[in-house]
Amino acid sequence: MHPLLRLAGPAALLMSLAAGAQAASADALSGPALAWQPVQSAAQVAGTCQRHLARAQAGLRQLRRQPADAQWLRAQDTYAARVEDWAYRLSFLAHVHPDKAVRAAAEACELRWNRFFSALGQDAALYRAARQAPPADETDRQLLRKLVQEFEDAGVSLPPAQRTRARQLNERIAALGQRFDRNIRDANLRVPFTEAELQGVPAAVWKNAKRDAQGRLLLGVDYPTYGPVVQLAESAAARERMWRAKTNEGGAQNLKLLAEITRLRSEYARLFGAASWAEFVTRRRMAESPARVDAFLGEVRAAVQAREVMEIDELRQAKADHLGQPLAQVKLERWDAAFYTERVRQARYSVDQEAFRPYFPPQESLQFTLRLVEKLMGVRYQRVEGAAAWHPEVQTYAVSDAASGAPLGTLWVDLYPREGKYNHAAVWGLRSVSTDLQRQPQAALVVNFDRQGLTLDELETLLHELGHAVHNNLSQARHVQQAGTNVLQDFVEAPSQMLEDWVYDKRVLALMTEVCPACKPVPDALLDKAVAARRFGQGMQESRQHLYASYDLALYGPTPQDPLALWAQMEGATPLGHVAGTMFPAGFAHIAGSYSAGYYGYLWSKVVALDLRTAFAADKLDAQAGRRYRDAVLAQGSQRPPQQLVKDFLGRDFNAKAFFDELAR
Ligand SMILES: [Zn+2]
């Protein structure tokens, strides 16, 4: 089990206020734009940033003069497309560029864009136009409604003093959020271990690590290192040291930042008469209110509680057997959970996640997931050899429609960890489609895999992230602001979560031999065991997700809370309790950032995901269903509300039956 990987995997899609830098062709709104303009220096970033902001200001003055007639929405959306190209890539570089000075310059630029967006959100002339412009159809009406809401949520119709305060708060929150992320990204933690302490951990994980003066190995807390140590190290002391380091990533400084961010968001919500940030956020989502989220989380809790307790009992028994101690004296510690979960899985199902690595080399695994999408959704991925990107190891793919050959979009893939790189797994939509503008979408997939190969869990993570990229790449929306992953945040995970269990299907895995004839196929018996073992640990895993979601909602609730005290109390109430001296929220970037009061969306989206999956119950390679799904859901973006997209695809209203059946299985 990788609790953190599961938390991290479905990570940040940069939403509308994120910023970035330069597209290769700043003014060409259409075309494939496969080239990546190399960024070499901080000065180059600063100069480009300045130029683009000036263009955005000039464009804004022009847009304000546009009459609020039938042409207005197209002009506004064209402007939004230009701003995407001027703004998005630079902030992305802050997460992935190998040069620290470039990352810092990208962050500074991101803050300037944030100020720009903050002011744009309160632009009275544009707000008036959005309310007056006539929609041509229901798609336009949806977008105009969304624009009016966004202007209002930015404070355009507040009295002047509150309006100014809203902007100040926005800018302050953005700056604090950046510092929070940077403290994690640049922490560069190294934890010392003797070789003896690493007994049980494959040598490939640590043999090339640097050593300190006493000859101890210095290991990072990146996933390819952290995972094997907490799952496989025989030494409880070694696991504990690694687990504590990861759990405290971000440090006490981030707790202070989180406290301030929470307070400021609460003040922001009150400017609008909302009782809490959670209320302010959820009223625009599928869930509609914190009360409804609470009720849903309560149902999830009821469905997983018993299984969690049962699993923990089994792990305690495994620990007692392993150490030869009486059960009554054995306490399961948090740093024991992953280790004994692996042991139980190995003992009962004789399955070992490490055993999958030889079958899933990283590059071939990527090609396998691309082939799967090709088969299922009728597209083609073509590698563009020698294309420049932000790092020499990044790969570029041109995506096209298999039947017509028409180009659809661009995908960049960044597979391996390196110093200063974003250390979870995420997809950034760098450009959104617009059929009106003949503009093709672009997405960047960023993960951190072991060069030795992937476990089955990691293959699932890769497919999950590719699901986000596919949502961006295969969209056919008319307006960029409704394209691809620009959907409600408690829906956005559904397309990715739907695909996750494709990796447990033998016919699906057989596609591996198509992309890698030299690779040995995964033995059926090994996969059968993994499928059987998969359920063990789910009770604990879903309970953890439930805890994260409940904590997020309480932190952003109507009563002010100290982040660590609240966490200690809530985690303390779970069966494994809270470990004094640890500070998980200091590394919980989701809730410091754009998933604040939105973490529940992972569980909420999963209800939708499992319902969508029912259409593939008989055949996970059903290309007809795949094509219908592509057209009815992925292509639409947010042109229609999510409930409607699901209904269009399934031919009925969505329900939670598949989700709760799965939990109860
Ligand atoms: Zn995701």
Side-chain angles (χ1 to χ4, degrees):
M1 185 175 68
H2 287 257
L4 280 165
L5 195 69
R6 191 44 57 217
L7 151 68
L13 290 142
L14 281 196
M15 294 298 173
S16 56
L17 288 196
Q22 158 48 357
S25 46
D27 282 311
L29 287 168
S30 56
L34 285 170
W36 185 279
Q37 181 112 25
V39 172
Q40 315 286 17
S41 71
Q44 190 189 348
V45 172
T48 311
C49 182
Q50 177 67 30
R51 262 198 320 282
H52 287 169
L53 276 159
R55 287 164 121 172
Q57 291 291 3
L60 181 58
R61 286 191 290 274
Q62 220 174 354
L63 183 62
R64 284 200 195 105
R65 290 196 293 271
Q66 184 83 21
D69 58 15
Q71 311 309 315
W72 185 83
L73 188 56
R74 178 159 180 172
Q76 189 275 343
D77 197 59
T78 304
Y79 179 69
R82 290 191 192 283
V83 170
E84 255 191 359
D85 289 347
W86 288 324
Y88 273 28
R89 287 197 193 186
L90 208 70
S91 86
F92 174 59
L93 291 183
H95 301 275
V96 294
H97 201 279
D99 181 346
K100 192 170 182 177
V102 169
R103 294 199 299 273
E107 285 190 336
C109 184
E110 182 177 25
L111 289 185
R112 296 186 66 188
W113 276 107
N114 200 282
R115 274 197 294 281
F116 173 84
F117 285 125
S118 203
L120 182 68
Q122 295 189 353
D123 194 297
L126 296 188
Y127 173 57
R128 250 193 328 271
R131 287 202 302 174
Q132 289 165 5
D137 58 13
E138 186 53 33
T139 296
D140 281 6
R141 192 170 293 117
Q142 287 279 345
L143 179 52
L144 286 166
R145 191 180 304 138
K146 177 175 141 176
L147 289 176
V148 166
Q149 285 180 354
E150 284 176 359
F151 281 119
E152 290 175 353
D153 290 353
V156 69
S157 43
L158 292 175
Q162 280 102 312
R163 201 159 63 217
T164 306
R165 184 62 186 152
R167 277 175 62 174
Q168 286 170 347
L169 289 169
N170 247 328
E171 288 163 23
R172 179 81 184 140
I173 291 165
L176 295 172
Q178 264 194 356
R179 275 166 58 191
F180 190 99
D181 288 349
R182 190 191 314 132
N183 287 338
I184 298 169
R185 200 174 53 234
D186 289 346
N188 202 14
L189 295 177
R190 288 291 177 271
V191 192
F193 297 95
T194 63
E195 276 190 35
E197 284 175 323
L198 293 175
Q199 194 199 330
V201 183
V205 173
W206 49 263
K207 66 172 190 273
N208 295 325
K210 286 197 184 123
R211 291 173 186 262
D212 67 7
Q214 294 111 321
R216 292 178 305 178
L217 294 147
L218 296 172
L219 301 190
V221 298
D222 54 287
Y223 284 111
T225 313
Y226 172 80
V229 172
V230 295
Q231 285 177 344
L232 301 169
E234 287 280 338
S235 158
R239 293 196 305 271
E240 178 179 353
R241 208 178 312 138
M242 184 55 121
W243 177 84
R244 280 183 185 268
K246 183 83 184 165
T247 307
N248 289 357
E249 208 179 12
Q253 51 189 351
N254 268 6
L255 290 178
K256 282 199 196 120
L257 291 174
L258 184 58
E260 190 177 349
I261 289 170
T262 311
R263 195 170 51 68
L264 298 181
R265 284 193 170 127
S266 163
E267 183 188 342
Y268 191 91
R270 285 198 308 272
L271 290 175
F272 297 83
S276 67
W277 176 251
E279 181 187 312
F280 183 74
V281 167
T282 51
R283 79 203 207 285
R284 304 292 194 210
R285 303 267 163 87
M286 279 180 95
E288 293 175 344
S289 72
R292 207 161 153 217
V293 177
D294 255 340
F296 167 67
L297 290 176
E299 284 180 69
V300 173
R301 186 85 202 103
V304 298
Q305 199 159 20
R307 186 187 298 174
E308 182 195 21
V309 169
M310 193 181 72
E311 286 170 357
I312 288 171
D313 281 347
E314 290 189 60
L315 296 187
R316 272 184 65 227
Q317 184 65 56
K319 183 173 178 179
D321 295 346
H322 180 223
L323 301 180
Q325 291 172 354
L327 182 61
Q329 286 173 23
V330 169
K331 176 174 184 290
L332 190 77
E333 304 288 357
R334 289 214 170 260
W335 50 87
D336 290 332
F339 178 77
Y340 287 106
T341 299
E342 279 310 298
R343 277 184 77 90
V344 168
R345 283 178 174 168
Q346 287 184 27
R348 183 173 316 155
Y349 308 100
S350 39
V351 67
D352 170 7
Q353 279 285 333
E354 294 297 310
F356 285 96
R357 294 196 195 277
Y359 301 101
F360 298 124
Q363 183 59 32
E364 286 76 8
S365 298
L366 171 64
Q367 283 165 306
F368 155 75
T369 56
L370 297 178
R371 175 58 59 92
L372 167 58
V373 174
E374 288 182 339
K375 289 254 178 195
L376 196 58
M377 315 223 185
V379 295
R380 283 279 167 275
Y381 289 91
Q382 179 124 36
R383 176 104 181 245
V384 184
E385 298 293 342
W390 55 92
H391 186 270
E393 285 193 319
V394 174
Q395 307 171 37
T396 307
Y397 290 87
V399 192
S400 58
D401 182 76
S404 67
L408 293 172
T410 305
L411 170 67
W412 286 284
V413 182
D414 188 349
L415 283 180
Y416 305 112
R418 59 178 177 269
E419 204 174 307
K421 177 180 157 181
Y422 176 77
N423 68 359
H424 298 307
V427 166
W428 276 261
L430 297 178
R431 180 181 252 205
S432 307
V433 78
S434 161
T435 53
D436 249 16
L437 299 173
Q438 294 184 308
R439 172 185 172 82
Q440 288 169 24
Q442 303 174 338
L445 188 159
V446 180
V447 285
N448 291 277
F449 289 133
D450 190 327
R451 288 169 197 271
Q452 308 295 319
L454 277 59
T455 63
L456 200 58
D457 286 349
E458 288 164 348
L459 190 66
E460 185 182 322
T461 298
L462 177 59
L463 190 57
H464 174 103
E465 296 305 335
L466 184 61
H468 289 308
V470 164
H471 200 177
N472 165 282
N473 283 165
L474 302 191
S475 182
Q476 289 289 301
R478 185 198 305 164
H479 303 299
V480 298
Q481 294 162 105
Q482 290 175 319
T485 50
N486 294 320
V487 295
L488 295 184
Q489 206 188 46
D490 47 10
F491 175 70
V492 73
E493 294 298 330
S496 286
Q497 291 171 329
M498 184 192 85
L499 287 173
E500 284 172 0
D501 85 335
W502 262 243
V503 305
Y504 297 92
D505 187 291
K506 282 175 198 161
R507 287 181 54 240
V508 171
L509 285 181
L511 297 176
M512 191 77 184
T513 56
E514 289 185 19
V515 297
C516 180
C519 290
K520 276 203 226 140
V522 180
D524 279 358
L526 182 60
L527 186 67
D528 288 342
K529 290 172 189 166
V531 170
R534 189 178 168 213
R535 288 203 16 89
F536 185 79
Q538 270 184 355
M540 284 184 297
Q541 199 170 315
E542 298 297 2
S543 295
R544 194 74 184 163
Q545 289 293 76
H546 173 272
L547 173 65
Y548 292 152
S550 307
Y551 171 69
D552 173 34
L553 209 64
L555 185 64
Y556 287 109
T559 321
Q561 302 278 359
D562 172 71
L564 185 59
L566 178 67
W567 174 255
Q569 176 220 318
M570 292 182 74
E571 194 186 35
T574 64
L576 292 187
H578 172 72
V579 178
T582 63
M583 48 180 89
F584 171 81
F588 200 177
H590 287 79
I591 63 165
S594 62
Y595 274 67
S596 55
Y599 197 85
Y600 77 89
Y602 285 104
L603 286 164
W604 188 279
S605 285
K606 209 164 172 181
V607 171
V608 180
L610 267 65
D611 205 18
L612 289 171
R613 203 182 276 170
T614 57
F616 298 92
D619 180 2
K620 284 199 156 42
L621 291 172
D622 182 344
Q624 274 185 341
R627 179 67 218 211
R628 276 197 305 111
Y629 174 70
R630 176 180 157 192
D631 293 338
V633 180
L634 300 179
Q636 294 296 324
S638 53
Q639 295 189 140
R640 297 153 79 74
Q643 302 88 312
Q644 188 60 47
L645 299 184
V646 179
K647 190 172 181 177
D648 292 345
F649 174 57
L650 292 176
R652 58 165 171 79
D653 286 319
F654 88 94
N655 64 59
K657 184 174 184 309
F659 177 77
F660 284 108
D661 282 356
E662 166 73 19
L663 290 183
R665 214 154 48 86

